[in-house]
């Protein structure tokens, strides 16, 4: 009898204080996105910010090009009685150097009035990347938005007409002008903006949980802000608007305003086979 009470007390204590193990799927490396799994009754806090998870406990983490090595993931049980902090390392990636010649000089060294326009546009794009939608559209997986040769990888340090510029924030896919561009996954169009200084005609599709894909330098745009799209829907065509030396799609990916390698989205289906427990 005494033992039975002791057992009940111990199970009660462990029930209110324990946090169940967290699983991360993918490779913890600069430029990558990972799928995390927690008990649906728990909350995940990543680098001191609470992050959204789906009804079945799935959430996303992404690491930028220059993400620092050590990361902090806190898991809190629903009734706040249990909390666990996990530290894990993010492996470094070696990024390429990309030499690009023949860029119109104004697009490499913008004038003062161009700089003012760029700043205004940046605010418009950033605002669309800050939206967080609850619907986990991203769970339907990702496809390549256009077939073609990859002419520029994510993360490359760019030297344009001999001038060092910011690292490349997406994947460039070269294709003929007018080639259809497809939505990489289900989502909602949060930006369809014409003629931005660098990215030209630009579409941003929101896939929920703060994950967006960006489609730049488009010739035509077939969607508008507020439209819902399905994976594979044609949202526009390949062009060379903005800062482009030839027709290509610049395909970008952003999670809660952190740019990462869109290639990592294409690997999403395989990530479930590559999980580790913290
Ligand atoms: Zn690009």
């Amino acid at each position: 009898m005494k033992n039975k009470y002791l057992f009940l007390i111990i199970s009660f204590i462990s029930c209110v204080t324990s946090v169940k193990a967290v699983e991360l799927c993918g490779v913890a490396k600069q430029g990558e996105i990972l799928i995390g799994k927690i008990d649906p009754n728990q909350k995940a806090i990543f680098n001191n910010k609470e992050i959204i998870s789906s009804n079945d406990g799935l959430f996303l983490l992404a690491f930028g090009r220059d993400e620092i090595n050590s990361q902090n993931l806190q898991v809190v049980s629903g009734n706040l009685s249990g909390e666990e902090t996990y530290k894990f390392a993010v492996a470094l990636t070696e990024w390429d150097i990309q030499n690009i010649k023949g860029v119109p000089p104004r697009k490499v060294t913008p004038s003062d009035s161009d700089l003012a326009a760029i700043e205004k546009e940046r605010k418009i794009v950033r605002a669309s990347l800050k939206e967080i939608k609850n619907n986990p559209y991203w769970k339907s997986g990702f496809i390549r938005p256009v077939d073609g040769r990859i002419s520029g990888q994510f993360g490359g340090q760019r030297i344009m007409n001999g001038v060092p510029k910011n690292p490349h924030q997406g994947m460039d896919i070269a294709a003929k002008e007018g080639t259809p561009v497809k939505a990489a996954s289900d989502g909602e169009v949060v930006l369809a903006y014409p003629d931005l200084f660098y990215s030209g005609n630009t579409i941003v599709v929101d896939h929920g949980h703060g994950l967006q894909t960006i489609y730049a330098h488009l010739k035509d745009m077939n969607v508008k802000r507020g439209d819902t799209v399905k994976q594979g829907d044609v949202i526009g065509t390949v062009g060379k608007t903005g800062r482009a030396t030839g027709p290509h799609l610049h395909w970008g990916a952003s999670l809660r305003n952190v740019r990462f390698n869109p290639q990592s989205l294409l690997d999403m289906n395989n990530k479930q086979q590559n999980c580790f427990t913290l």
Side-chain angles (χ1 to χ4, degrees):
M1 198 61 179
K2 207 176 161 189
N3 279 350
K4 193 181 163 194
Y5 279 119
L6 193 61
F7 172 76
L8 281 175
I9 290 166
I10 290 172
S11 15
F12 177 72
I13 292 170
S14 64
C15 174
V16 290
T17 59
S18 76
V19 162
K20 290 178 191 133
V22 185
E23 212 177 23
L24 293 181
C25 304
V27 186
K29 203 173 174 200
Q30 286 175 332
E32 293 284 323
I33 187 166
L34 302 187
I35 302 172
K37 288 183 203 170
I38 45 171
D39 184 287
N41 298 314
Q42 299 178 339
K43 275 189 253 175
I45 297 166
F46 183 53
N47 292 335
N48 303 319
K49 276 190 203 141
E50 186 176 333
I51 51 176
I52 199 165
S53 54
S54 61
N55 292 340
D56 49 358
L58 297 181
F59 63 92
L60 297 169
L61 297 182
F63 311 115
R65 178 193 189 267
D66 302 306
E67 194 71 64
I68 52 163
N69 189 270
S70 173
Q71 306 288 316
N72 231 323
L73 183 67
Q74 248 173 305
V75 178
V76 183
S77 66
N79 56 9
L80 302 177
S81 56
E83 184 185 315
E84 195 77 60
T85 300
Y86 303 94
K87 285 198 187 301
F88 63 97
V90 172
L92 305 182
T93 302
E94 232 177 80
W95 304 110
D96 284 347
I97 292 182
Q98 298 168 352
N99 257 302
I100 302 162
K101 290 184 184 125
V103 184
R106 183 181 157 208
K107 298 279 175 178
V108 177
T109 316
S111 67
D112 283 354
S113 64
D114 286 340
L115 286 172
I118 291 164
E119 194 44 42
K120 202 174 132 208
E121 294 174 4
R122 196 168 274 163
K123 280 188 184 144
I124 293 167
V125 176
R126 281 213 181 133
S128 73
L129 297 177
K130 271 188 186 154
E131 297 188 18
I132 306 238
K133 296 188 188 297
N134 285 328
N135 192 334
Y137 292 107
W138 59 267
K139 282 168 76 180
S140 48
F142 287 82
I143 58 164
R144 220 171 184 231
V146 70
D147 286 328
R149 179 179 64 88
I150 295 180
S151 54
Q153 296 280 5
F154 172 87
Q157 171 65 60
R158 309 190 104 183
I159 299 169
M160 289 186 171
N161 303 352
V163 182
K165 304 301 284 183
N166 287 337
H168 192 217
Q169 297 212 319
M171 172 197 283
D172 287 343
I173 309 170
K176 268 197 201 144
E177 196 159 11
T179 306
V181 172
K182 298 169 190 157
S185 186
D186 298 354
E188 288 173 43
V189 176
V190 287
L191 187 83
Y193 208 90
D195 206 23
L196 295 174
F197 187 85
Y198 289 128
S199 58
N201 294 337
T202 305
I203 292 173
V204 177
V205 179
D206 194 305
H207 307 291
H209 289 195
L211 174 62
Q212 292 97 5
T213 50
I214 301 150
Y215 308 79
H217 309 306
L218 299 169
K219 180 170 184 267
D220 307 298
M221 297 193 285
N222 302 354
V223 289
K224 57 180 189 320
R225 183 178 156 86
D227 285 354
T228 301
V229 292
K230 290 304 251 179
Q231 182 183 77
D233 282 355
V234 175
I235 54 173
T237 59
V238 171
K240 52 178 181 185
T241 54
R243 185 172 69 185
T245 51
H248 71 281
L249 174 73
H250 169 99
W251 185 37
S254 172
L255 180 72
R256 298 184 288 270
N257 227 357
V258 171
R259 296 316 167 269
F260 64 94
N261 191 349
Q263 177 63 45
S264 186
L265 291 173
L266 300 177
D267 303 334
M268 207 106 159
N269 299 338
N270 304 324
K271 286 193 204 305
Q272 304 279 4
Q273 279 115 52
N274 189 12
C275 301
F276 56 98
T277 305
L278 292 180

